[in-house]
Amino acid sequence: MKITSVATARLLLHPLTVVDAERVVARESGPGDPWGEGYPGDGDVRSATGFLRGVAERGDPGVFRPYRIRLDGVVVGGIGFHGPPDAQGVVTVGYGLVPGARGKGYASEALRALVEVARQAGATGVKGDADLDNLASHRVMEAAGMPCVAQDATLRHFYLAL
């Protein structure tokens, strides 16, 4: 199944393939695949590992996959879905950027685009969470239209109905 890249004003969200994910897990870039300083991070490796496990267990997830975030052709982070929608049609998202790309609004821009992917693919909602002290991630989700809906001892939970 061919999944197209998603362009924003400054970024390109490039869908992860199995081959891409294997390279991320091995932390080895491929030809013509420049990685920014610090990519892939541990979160990118966990996401790619989960993607590979999901493909092996359930097959290709279509648009509900991880995406690499490219800035001027260089991979500066990742964003994506933790898997297909749950029984209620809700998807969970996660994201991360290399240190040099943080604080510039890229994560919020990428998340707004990913929310639109979810909407167009028929998801009924998007959720995410962040540690209580991760204020930057709180701001990213709020800037993408996902308000905080709950908090527990360790996490703030964000949700947007589509």
Side-chain angles (χ1 to χ4, degrees):
M1 169 182 293
K2 173 96 168 117
I3 307 298
T4 60
S5 297
V6 178
T8 70
R10 302 178 293 172
L11 307 169
L12 183 66
L13 307 185
H14 185 77
L16 205 67
T17 66
V18 167
V19 171
D20 297 331
E22 289 169 342
R23 284 200 313 262
V24 169
V25 170
R27 296 182 188 258
E28 297 175 358
S29 66
D33 189 23
W35 289 357
E37 174 93 21
Y39 182 85
D42 292 342
D44 299 299
V45 172
R46 282 191 304 274
S47 175
T49 300
F51 170 68
L52 291 170
R53 185 174 40 253
V55 168
E57 293 171 359
R58 298 179 300 275
D60 191 289
V63 299
F64 297 109
R65 67 180 53 239
Y67 294 76
R68 290 176 292 167
I69 301 172
R70 290 182 178 269
L71 174 65
D72 298 327
V74 176
V75 180
V76 296
I79 190 165
F81 302 101
H82 290 197
D86 65 17
Q88 291 75 41
V90 177
V91 290
T92 303
V93 295
Y95 48 84
L97 293 172
V98 299
R102 295 178 188 157
K104 298 174 174 81
Y106 298 139
S108 297
E109 184 175 328
L111 184 53
R112 283 189 295 271
L114 198 68
V115 166
E116 187 56 29
V117 168
R119 182 187 326 276
Q120 290 179 10
T124 62
V126 177
K127 67 180 180 176
D129 57 52
D131 292 337
L132 294 178
D133 63 351
N134 191 346
L135 301 179
S137 191
H138 301 172
R139 287 191 297 271
V140 165
M141 286 186 268
E142 289 167 346
M146 297 173 63
C148 179
V149 295
Q151 180 174 313
D152 58 33
T154 58
L155 298 171
R156 290 188 80 191
H157 302 272
F158 297 81
Y159 178 77
L160 176 64
L162 300 179

Short mmCIF file of all heavy atoms in Angstrom, two decimals, residues 54-122:
data_model
loop_
_atom_site.label_atom_id
_atom_site.label_comp_id
_atom_site.label_asym_id
_atom_site.label_seq_id
_atom_site.Cartn_x
_atom_site.Cartn_y
_atom_site.Cartn_z
N GLY A 54 3.82 -4.49 14.96
CA GLY A 54 2.44 -4.38 14.50
C GLY A 54 2.25 -4.89 13.09
O GLY A 54 1.26 -5.57 12.78
N VAL A 55 3.20 -4.58 12.20
CA VAL A 55 3.12 -5.07 10.82
C VAL A 55 3.19 -6.60 10.81
O VAL A 55 2.43 -7.26 10.09
CB VAL A 55 4.23 -4.45 9.95
CG1 VAL A 55 4.34 -5.16 8.61
CG2 VAL A 55 3.98 -2.97 9.74
N ALA A 56 4.08 -7.17 11.63
CA ALA A 56 4.21 -8.63 11.68
C ALA A 56 2.94 -9.28 12.23
O ALA A 56 2.54 -10.35 11.75
CB ALA A 56 5.41 -9.02 12.54
N GLU A 57 2.29 -8.65 13.19
CA GLU A 57 1.11 -9.24 13.83
C GLU A 57 -0.20 -8.96 13.09
O GLU A 57 -1.07 -9.82 13.02
CB GLU A 57 0.98 -8.71 15.27
CG GLU A 57 2.09 -9.18 16.19
CD GLU A 57 2.07 -8.48 17.55
OE1 GLU A 57 1.19 -7.62 17.80
OE2 GLU A 57 2.94 -8.80 18.37
N ARG A 58 -0.35 -7.72 12.55
CA ARG A 58 -1.64 -7.31 11.99
C ARG A 58 -1.58 -6.89 10.53
O ARG A 58 -2.60 -6.59 9.94
CB ARG A 58 -2.21 -6.15 12.81
CG ARG A 58 -2.50 -6.46 14.26
CD ARG A 58 -3.05 -5.25 15.01
NE ARG A 58 -2.16 -4.10 15.03
CZ ARG A 58 -1.18 -3.92 15.91
NH1 ARG A 58 -0.95 -4.82 16.83
NH2 ARG A 58 -0.44 -2.83 15.87
N GLY A 59 -0.40 -6.78 9.96
CA GLY A 59 -0.27 -6.31 8.60
C GLY A 59 -0.06 -4.80 8.56
O GLY A 59 0.06 -4.13 9.59
N ASP A 60 -0.01 -4.27 7.37
CA ASP A 60 0.25 -2.85 7.17
C ASP A 60 -0.88 -2.01 7.77
O ASP A 60 -2.05 -2.26 7.50
CB ASP A 60 0.38 -2.55 5.68
CG ASP A 60 0.91 -1.16 5.43
OD1 ASP A 60 0.18 -0.19 5.67
OD2 ASP A 60 2.07 -1.05 4.99
N PRO A 61 -0.54 -0.97 8.57
CA PRO A 61 -1.57 -0.17 9.22
C PRO A 61 -2.12 0.98 8.38
O PRO A 61 -2.88 1.80 8.88
CB PRO A 61 -0.83 0.37 10.45
CG PRO A 61 0.56 0.56 9.95
CD PRO A 61 0.80 -0.61 9.03
N GLY A 62 -1.75 1.05 7.11
CA GLY A 62 -2.22 2.16 6.29
C GLY A 62 -1.65 3.47 6.80
O GLY A 62 -0.47 3.54 7.15
N VAL A 63 -2.46 4.50 6.87
CA VAL A 63 -1.96 5.80 7.30
C VAL A 63 -1.63 5.85 8.79
O VAL A 63 -0.93 6.74 9.24
CB VAL A 63 -2.95 6.94 6.96
CG1 VAL A 63 -3.17 7.02 5.47
CG2 VAL A 63 -4.25 6.79 7.72
N PHE A 64 -2.12 4.87 9.56
CA PHE A 64 -1.93 4.88 11.02
C PHE A 64 -0.57 4.28 11.38
O PHE A 64 -0.49 3.23 12.00
CB PHE A 64 -3.09 4.16 11.71
CG PHE A 64 -4.40 4.84 11.46
CD1 PHE A 64 -5.35 4.26 10.64
CD2 PHE A 64 -4.68 6.07 12.03
CE1 PHE A 64 -6.57 4.89 10.41
CE2 PHE A 64 -5.88 6.71 11.80
CZ PHE A 64 -6.82 6.12 10.99
N ARG A 65 0.48 4.97 11.01
CA ARG A 65 1.85 4.51 11.12
C ARG A 65 2.72 5.65 11.63
O ARG A 65 2.27 6.79 11.69
CB ARG A 65 2.36 4.04 9.76
CG ARG A 65 2.50 5.18 8.78
CD ARG A 65 3.02 4.78 7.39
NE ARG A 65 2.26 3.70 6.79
CZ ARG A 65 2.79 2.53 6.43
NH1 ARG A 65 4.08 2.29 6.55
NH2 ARG A 65 2.03 1.59 5.91
N PRO A 66 3.98 5.40 11.90
CA PRO A 66 4.91 6.49 12.20
C PRO A 66 5.32 7.23 10.92
O PRO A 66 5.32 6.64 9.83
CB PRO A 66 6.13 5.79 12.82
CG PRO A 66 5.71 4.39 13.09
CD PRO A 66 4.57 4.09 12.16
N TYR A 67 5.70 8.47 11.09
CA TYR A 67 6.20 9.32 10.00
C TYR A 67 7.50 9.97 10.46
O TYR A 67 7.63 10.35 11.63
CB TYR A 67 5.19 10.42 9.66
CG TYR A 67 3.90 9.92 9.09
CD1 TYR A 67 2.94 9.33 9.91
CD2 TYR A 67 3.63 10.02 7.74
CE1 TYR A 67 1.74 8.86 9.39
CE2 TYR A 67 2.43 9.55 7.21
CZ TYR A 67 1.49 8.97 8.04
OH TYR A 67 0.31 8.50 7.53
N ARG A 68 8.44 10.10 9.55
CA ARG A 68 9.65 10.87 9.84
C ARG A 68 9.35 12.33 9.54
O ARG A 68 8.68 12.64 8.55
CB ARG A 68 10.82 10.37 9.00
CG ARG A 68 11.27 8.99 9.46
CD ARG A 68 12.36 8.46 8.59
NE ARG A 68 11.78 8.20 7.27
CZ ARG A 68 12.47 7.95 6.17
NH1 ARG A 68 13.78 7.93 6.21
NH2 ARG A 68 11.86 7.71 5.03
N ILE A 69 9.84 13.22 10.37
CA ILE A 69 9.68 14.66 10.15
C ILE A 69 10.93 15.16 9.47
O ILE A 69 12.04 15.06 10.00
CB ILE A 69 9.47 15.40 11.49
CG1 ILE A 69 8.24 14.86 12.22
CG2 ILE A 69 9.36 16.90 11.23
CD1 ILE A 69 8.07 15.41 13.63
N ARG A 70 10.73 15.71 8.27
CA ARG A 70 11.86 16.24 7.50
C ARG A 70 11.77 17.76 7.43
O ARG A 70 10.70 18.31 7.16
CB ARG A 70 11.85 15.69 6.07
CG ARG A 70 12.19 14.22 5.98
CD ARG A 70 12.21 13.78 4.52
NE ARG A 70 12.58 12.40 4.40
CZ ARG A 70 13.83 11.95 4.26
NH1 ARG A 70 14.83 12.81 4.19
NH2 ARG A 70 14.06 10.67 4.16
N LEU A 71 12.90 18.39 7.65
CA LEU A 71 13.04 19.83 7.50
C LEU A 71 14.15 20.05 6.49
O LEU A 71 15.29 19.61 6.72
CB LEU A 71 13.39 20.47 8.86
CG LEU A 71 13.71 21.95 8.85
CD1 LEU A 71 12.48 22.77 8.45
CD2 LEU A 71 14.21 22.38 10.23
N ASP A 72 13.84 20.70 5.39
CA ASP A 72 14.82 20.91 4.32
C ASP A 72 15.50 19.59 3.92
O ASP A 72 16.71 19.56 3.68
CB ASP A 72 15.86 21.95 4.74
CG ASP A 72 15.24 23.31 5.00
OD1 ASP A 72 14.26 23.67 4.32
OD2 ASP A 72 15.74 24.01 5.90
N GLY A 73 14.72 18.51 3.89
CA GLY A 73 15.21 17.21 3.45
C GLY A 73 15.90 16.38 4.52
O GLY A 73 16.19 15.21 4.29
N VAL A 74 16.17 16.95 5.68
CA VAL A 74 16.88 16.26 6.75
C VAL A 74 15.87 15.77 7.79
O VAL A 74 14.97 16.51 8.19
CB VAL A 74 17.91 17.20 7.41
CG1 VAL A 74 18.59 16.52 8.60
CG2 VAL A 74 18.94 17.66 6.39
N VAL A 75 16.01 14.52 8.23
CA VAL A 75 15.12 13.97 9.25
C VAL A 75 15.49 14.57 10.60
O VAL A 75 16.62 14.40 11.08
CB VAL A 75 15.20 12.43 9.31
CG1 VAL A 75 14.26 11.89 10.37
CG2 VAL A 75 14.86 11.82 7.95
N VAL A 76 14.53 15.29 11.20
CA VAL A 76 14.77 15.96 12.48
C VAL A 76 13.90 15.40 13.60
O VAL A 76 13.90 15.93 14.71
CB VAL A 76 14.58 17.49 12.37
CG1 VAL A 76 15.61 18.10 11.42
CG2 VAL A 76 13.15 17.83 11.93
N GLY A 77 13.15 14.35 13.31
CA GLY A 77 12.32 13.74 14.34
C GLY A 77 11.31 12.79 13.75
O GLY A 77 11.33 12.48 12.57
N GLY A 78 10.42 12.37 14.63
CA GLY A 78 9.36 11.46 14.23
C GLY A 78 8.05 11.80 14.90
O GLY A 78 8.02 12.43 15.96
N ILE A 79 6.99 11.40 14.25
CA ILE A 79 5.65 11.60 14.77
C ILE A 79 4.80 10.47 14.20
O ILE A 79 5.11 9.94 13.14
CB ILE A 79 5.07 12.98 14.36
CG1 ILE A 79 3.77 13.29 15.10
CG2 ILE A 79 4.91 13.09 12.84
CD1 ILE A 79 3.35 14.74 15.01
N GLY A 80 3.78 10.10 14.92
CA GLY A 80 2.95 9.06 14.35
C GLY A 80 1.93 8.51 15.31
O GLY A 80 1.77 8.99 16.43
N PHE A 81 1.26 7.51 14.82
CA PHE A 81 0.21 6.83 15.56
C PHE A 81 0.82 5.60 16.23
O PHE A 81 1.66 4.93 15.66
CB PHE A 81 -0.91 6.42 14.60
CG PHE A 81 -1.51 7.57 13.86
CD1 PHE A 81 -1.14 7.84 12.55
CD2 PHE A 81 -2.43 8.40 14.47
CE1 PHE A 81 -1.69 8.91 11.86
CE2 PHE A 81 -2.98 9.48 13.79
CZ PHE A 81 -2.61 9.73 12.48
N HIS A 82 0.36 5.30 17.43
CA HIS A 82 0.83 4.12 18.14
C HIS A 82 0.23 2.84 17.56
O HIS A 82 0.63 1.75 17.94
CB HIS A 82 0.50 4.21 19.63
CG HIS A 82 1.30 5.25 20.33
ND1 HIS A 82 1.42 5.28 21.69
CD2 HIS A 82 2.02 6.31 19.89
CE1 HIS A 82 2.17 6.30 22.06
NE2 HIS A 82 2.55 6.94 20.99
N GLY A 83 -0.72 2.98 16.67
CA GLY A 83 -1.37 1.85 16.03
C GLY A 83 -2.67 2.31 15.40
O GLY A 83 -2.97 3.51 15.36
N PRO A 84 -3.45 1.38 14.91
CA PRO A 84 -4.74 1.73 14.30
C PRO A 84 -5.71 2.23 15.38
O PRO A 84 -5.47 2.08 16.58
CB PRO A 84 -5.21 0.42 13.68
CG PRO A 84 -4.49 -0.64 14.41
CD PRO A 84 -3.18 -0.06 14.87
N PRO A 85 -6.83 2.81 14.96
CA PRO A 85 -7.83 3.28 15.93
C PRO A 85 -8.33 2.14 16.82
O PRO A 85 -8.41 0.98 16.38
CB PRO A 85 -8.96 3.81 15.05
CG PRO A 85 -8.34 4.09 13.72
CD PRO A 85 -7.23 3.09 13.58
N ASP A 86 -8.67 2.49 18.06
CA ASP A 86 -9.25 1.50 18.97
C ASP A 86 -10.70 1.24 18.60
O ASP A 86 -11.21 1.76 17.59
CB ASP A 86 -9.08 1.93 20.43
CG ASP A 86 -9.84 3.19 20.80
OD1 ASP A 86 -10.77 3.61 20.06
OD2 ASP A 86 -9.52 3.78 21.85
N ALA A 87 -11.42 0.48 19.41
CA ALA A 87 -12.82 0.10 19.12
C ALA A 87 -13.73 1.32 19.01
O ALA A 87 -14.76 1.26 18.33
CB ALA A 87 -13.33 -0.87 20.18
N GLN A 88 -13.36 2.42 19.66
CA GLN A 88 -14.16 3.65 19.59
C GLN A 88 -13.70 4.58 18.47
O GLN A 88 -14.26 5.65 18.29
CB GLN A 88 -14.10 4.41 20.94
CG GLN A 88 -14.81 3.71 22.07
CD GLN A 88 -14.01 2.52 22.61
OE1 GLN A 88 -12.80 2.57 22.75
NE2 GLN A 88 -14.71 1.43 22.87
N GLY A 89 -12.68 4.16 17.73
CA GLY A 89 -12.18 4.98 16.62
C GLY A 89 -11.13 6.00 17.02
O GLY A 89 -10.78 6.88 16.24
N VAL A 90 -10.60 5.90 18.23
CA VAL A 90 -9.62 6.86 18.74
C VAL A 90 -8.21 6.36 18.49
O VAL A 90 -7.91 5.17 18.71
CB VAL A 90 -9.85 7.12 20.25
CG1 VAL A 90 -8.80 8.06 20.81
CG2 VAL A 90 -11.25 7.68 20.48
N VAL A 91 -7.33 7.27 18.06
CA VAL A 91 -5.92 6.94 17.85
C VAL A 91 -5.07 7.67 18.89
O VAL A 91 -5.42 8.76 19.34
CB VAL A 91 -5.45 7.30 16.43
CG1 VAL A 91 -6.07 6.38 15.40
CG2 VAL A 91 -5.72 8.75 16.09
N THR A 92 -3.95 7.05 19.22
CA THR A 92 -2.99 7.66 20.13
C THR A 92 -1.79 8.11 19.33
O THR A 92 -1.32 7.39 18.45
CB THR A 92 -2.55 6.64 21.21
OG1 THR A 92 -3.71 6.18 21.90
CG2 THR A 92 -1.59 7.26 22.20
N VAL A 93 -1.30 9.32 19.64
CA VAL A 93 -0.17 9.88 18.91
C VAL A 93 1.03 10.08 19.83
O VAL A 93 0.90 10.18 21.05
CB VAL A 93 -0.54 11.23 18.27
CG1 VAL A 93 -1.60 11.05 17.20
CG2 VAL A 93 -0.98 12.24 19.31
N GLY A 94 2.19 10.12 19.20
CA GLY A 94 3.43 10.43 19.89
C GLY A 94 4.35 11.15 18.92
O GLY A 94 4.16 11.06 17.71
N TYR A 95 5.34 11.85 19.46
CA TYR A 95 6.24 12.64 18.61
C TYR A 95 7.51 12.96 19.38
O TYR A 95 7.57 12.85 20.61
CB TYR A 95 5.57 13.95 18.17
CG TYR A 95 4.91 14.67 19.32
CD1 TYR A 95 5.64 15.51 20.15
CD2 TYR A 95 3.57 14.47 19.59
CE1 TYR A 95 5.03 16.13 21.23
CE2 TYR A 95 2.96 15.08 20.66
CZ TYR A 95 3.70 15.91 21.48
OH TYR A 95 3.11 16.52 22.55
N GLY A 96 8.52 13.36 18.63
CA GLY A 96 9.78 13.79 19.22
C GLY A 96 10.64 14.45 18.16
O GLY A 96 10.56 14.10 16.98
N LEU A 97 11.43 15.41 18.59
CA LEU A 97 12.35 16.11 17.69
C LEU A 97 13.76 16.05 18.24
O LEU A 97 13.95 15.95 19.47
CB LEU A 97 11.94 17.59 17.57
CG LEU A 97 10.63 17.91 16.88
CD1 LEU A 97 10.31 19.39 17.03
CD2 LEU A 97 10.71 17.54 15.41
N VAL A 98 14.74 16.16 17.36
CA VAL A 98 16.12 16.27 17.81
C VAL A 98 16.27 17.60 18.54
O VAL A 98 15.53 18.55 18.28
CB VAL A 98 17.11 16.16 16.63
CG1 VAL A 98 16.98 14.82 15.92
CG2 VAL A 98 16.95 17.30 15.64
N PRO A 99 17.21 17.69 19.48
CA PRO A 99 17.34 18.91 20.28
C PRO A 99 17.45 20.20 19.45
O PRO A 99 16.84 21.22 19.79
CB PRO A 99 18.60 18.65 21.10
CG PRO A 99 18.62 17.17 21.28
CD PRO A 99 18.10 16.62 19.97
N GLY A 100 18.17 20.17 18.35
CA GLY A 100 18.35 21.38 17.55
C GLY A 100 17.10 21.88 16.85
O GLY A 100 17.06 23.02 16.37
N ALA A 101 16.06 21.05 16.78
CA ALA A 101 14.82 21.45 16.11
C ALA A 101 13.71 21.84 17.09
O ALA A 101 12.63 22.24 16.67
CB ALA A 101 14.33 20.31 15.22
N ARG A 102 13.99 21.74 18.37
CA ARG A 102 12.96 22.02 19.37
C ARG A 102 12.78 23.53 19.57
O ARG A 102 13.68 24.32 19.33
CB ARG A 102 13.33 21.36 20.69
CG ARG A 102 13.33 19.86 20.60
CD ARG A 102 13.75 19.21 21.90
NE ARG A 102 13.91 17.77 21.68
CZ ARG A 102 14.66 16.98 22.42
NH1 ARG A 102 15.32 17.48 23.46
NH2 ARG A 102 14.74 15.70 22.14
N GLY A 103 11.58 23.89 20.02
CA GLY A 103 11.30 25.28 20.36
C GLY A 103 11.02 26.18 19.18
O GLY A 103 10.98 27.40 19.33
N LYS A 104 10.75 25.61 18.03
CA LYS A 104 10.51 26.40 16.82
C LYS A 104 9.11 26.19 16.25
O LYS A 104 8.80 26.65 15.17
CB LYS A 104 11.57 26.07 15.77
CG LYS A 104 12.99 26.41 16.23
CD LYS A 104 14.02 25.94 15.23
CE LYS A 104 15.40 26.37 15.59
NZ LYS A 104 16.07 25.57 16.59
N GLY A 105 8.28 25.44 16.97
CA GLY A 105 6.91 25.19 16.52
C GLY A 105 6.76 24.03 15.56
O GLY A 105 5.67 23.76 15.07
N TYR A 106 7.85 23.29 15.29
CA TYR A 106 7.77 22.20 14.33
C TYR A 106 6.88 21.05 14.83
O TYR A 106 6.12 20.47 14.06
CB TYR A 106 9.15 21.63 14.01
CG TYR A 106 10.11 22.60 13.37
CD1 TYR A 106 11.45 22.64 13.76
CD2 TYR A 106 9.70 23.49 12.38
CE1 TYR A 106 12.34 23.51 13.17
CE2 TYR A 106 10.58 24.38 11.80
CZ TYR A 106 11.91 24.38 12.20
OH TYR A 106 12.79 25.25 11.62
N ALA A 107 6.99 20.72 16.10
CA ALA A 107 6.19 19.60 16.63
C ALA A 107 4.70 19.91 16.54
O ALA A 107 3.90 19.06 16.15
CB ALA A 107 6.60 19.27 18.06
N SER A 108 4.31 21.13 16.89
CA SER A 108 2.89 21.51 16.81
C SER A 108 2.41 21.50 15.36
O SER A 108 1.31 21.03 15.06
CB SER A 108 2.66 22.90 17.41
OG SER A 108 2.97 22.91 18.77
N GLU A 109 3.23 21.98 14.46
CA GLU A 109 2.90 22.00 13.03
C GLU A 109 2.71 20.57 12.52
O GLU A 109 1.74 20.27 11.81
CB GLU A 109 4.01 22.70 12.26
CG GLU A 109 3.77 22.88 10.79
CD GLU A 109 4.87 23.70 10.13
OE1 GLU A 109 5.45 24.60 10.77
OE2 GLU A 109 5.13 23.44 8.93
N ALA A 110 3.63 19.68 12.90
CA ALA A 110 3.53 18.29 12.47
C ALA A 110 2.31 17.61 13.10
O ALA A 110 1.60 16.85 12.42
CB ALA A 110 4.81 17.54 12.85
N LEU A 111 2.03 17.91 14.36
CA LEU A 111 0.88 17.29 15.02
C LEU A 111 -0.43 17.75 14.41
O LEU A 111 -1.35 16.95 14.23
CB LEU A 111 0.92 17.54 16.53
CG LEU A 111 -0.18 16.86 17.35
CD1 LEU A 111 -0.24 15.36 17.09
CD2 LEU A 111 0.02 17.16 18.83
N ARG A 112 -0.54 19.02 14.07
CA ARG A 112 -1.76 19.49 13.39
C ARG A 112 -1.97 18.73 12.09
O ARG A 112 -3.10 18.34 11.75
CB ARG A 112 -1.69 21.00 13.15
CG ARG A 112 -1.96 21.83 14.39
CD ARG A 112 -2.11 23.31 14.07
NE ARG A 112 -0.88 23.91 13.57
CZ ARG A 112 0.07 24.45 14.32
NH1 ARG A 112 -0.05 24.47 15.64
NH2 ARG A 112 1.15 24.97 13.77
N ALA A 113 -0.89 18.49 11.34
CA ALA A 113 -1.01 17.73 10.09
C ALA A 113 -1.41 16.29 10.36
O ALA A 113 -2.24 15.72 9.64
CB ALA A 113 0.32 17.78 9.33
N LEU A 114 -0.86 15.69 11.41
CA LEU A 114 -1.20 14.30 11.74
C LEU A 114 -2.66 14.18 12.19
O LEU A 114 -3.34 13.21 11.85
CB LEU A 114 -0.26 13.77 12.82
CG LEU A 114 -0.21 12.26 12.94
CD1 LEU A 114 0.44 11.62 11.71
CD2 LEU A 114 0.52 11.85 14.20
N VAL A 115 -3.15 15.17 12.92
CA VAL A 115 -4.56 15.18 13.32
C VAL A 115 -5.44 15.19 12.07
O VAL A 115 -6.44 14.48 12.00
CB VAL A 115 -4.87 16.38 14.23
CG1 VAL A 115 -6.37 16.62 14.38
CG2 VAL A 115 -4.23 16.19 15.61
N GLU A 116 -5.04 15.95 11.08
CA GLU A 116 -5.82 16.00 9.84
C GLU A 116 -5.77 14.66 9.11
O GLU A 116 -6.77 14.23 8.53
CB GLU A 116 -5.33 17.13 8.93
CG GLU A 116 -6.18 17.35 7.70
CD GLU A 116 -7.67 17.59 7.99
OE1 GLU A 116 -8.02 18.14 9.07
OE2 GLU A 116 -8.50 17.22 7.14
N VAL A 117 -4.63 13.98 9.13
CA VAL A 117 -4.54 12.63 8.56
C VAL A 117 -5.55 11.72 9.25
O VAL A 117 -6.29 10.97 8.60
CB VAL A 117 -3.11 12.06 8.68
CG1 VAL A 117 -3.07 10.57 8.36
CG2 VAL A 117 -2.15 12.82 7.77
N ALA A 118 -5.59 11.78 10.57
CA ALA A 118 -6.53 10.95 11.34
C ALA A 118 -7.97 11.27 10.98
O ALA A 118 -8.79 10.37 10.78
CB ALA A 118 -6.30 11.14 12.84
N ARG A 119 -8.27 12.56 10.87
CA ARG A 119 -9.63 12.99 10.52
C ARG A 119 -10.03 12.45 9.15
O ARG A 119 -11.11 11.86 8.99
CB ARG A 119 -9.71 14.52 10.54
CG ARG A 119 -11.10 15.09 10.23
CD ARG A 119 -11.12 16.61 10.09
NE ARG A 119 -10.20 17.34 10.93
CZ ARG A 119 -10.41 17.71 12.20
NH1 ARG A 119 -11.54 17.39 12.80
NH2 ARG A 119 -9.50 18.39 12.88
N GLN A 120 -9.17 12.62 8.16
CA GLN A 120 -9.47 12.17 6.81
C GLN A 120 -9.59 10.65 6.71
O GLN A 120 -10.30 10.14 5.86
CB GLN A 120 -8.43 12.70 5.83
CG GLN A 120 -8.52 14.19 5.61
CD GLN A 120 -7.46 14.70 4.65
OE1 GLN A 120 -6.76 13.93 3.99
NE2 GLN A 120 -7.34 16.01 4.56
N ALA A 121 -8.89 9.95 7.60
CA ALA A 121 -8.93 8.48 7.57
C ALA A 121 -10.08 7.92 8.39
O ALA A 121 -10.22 6.70 8.48
CB ALA A 121 -7.60 7.92 8.08
N GLY A 122 -10.90 8.79 8.99
CA GLY A 122 -12.10 8.33 9.68
C GLY A 122 -11.98 8.11 11.17
O GLY A 122 -12.91 7.59 11.79
#
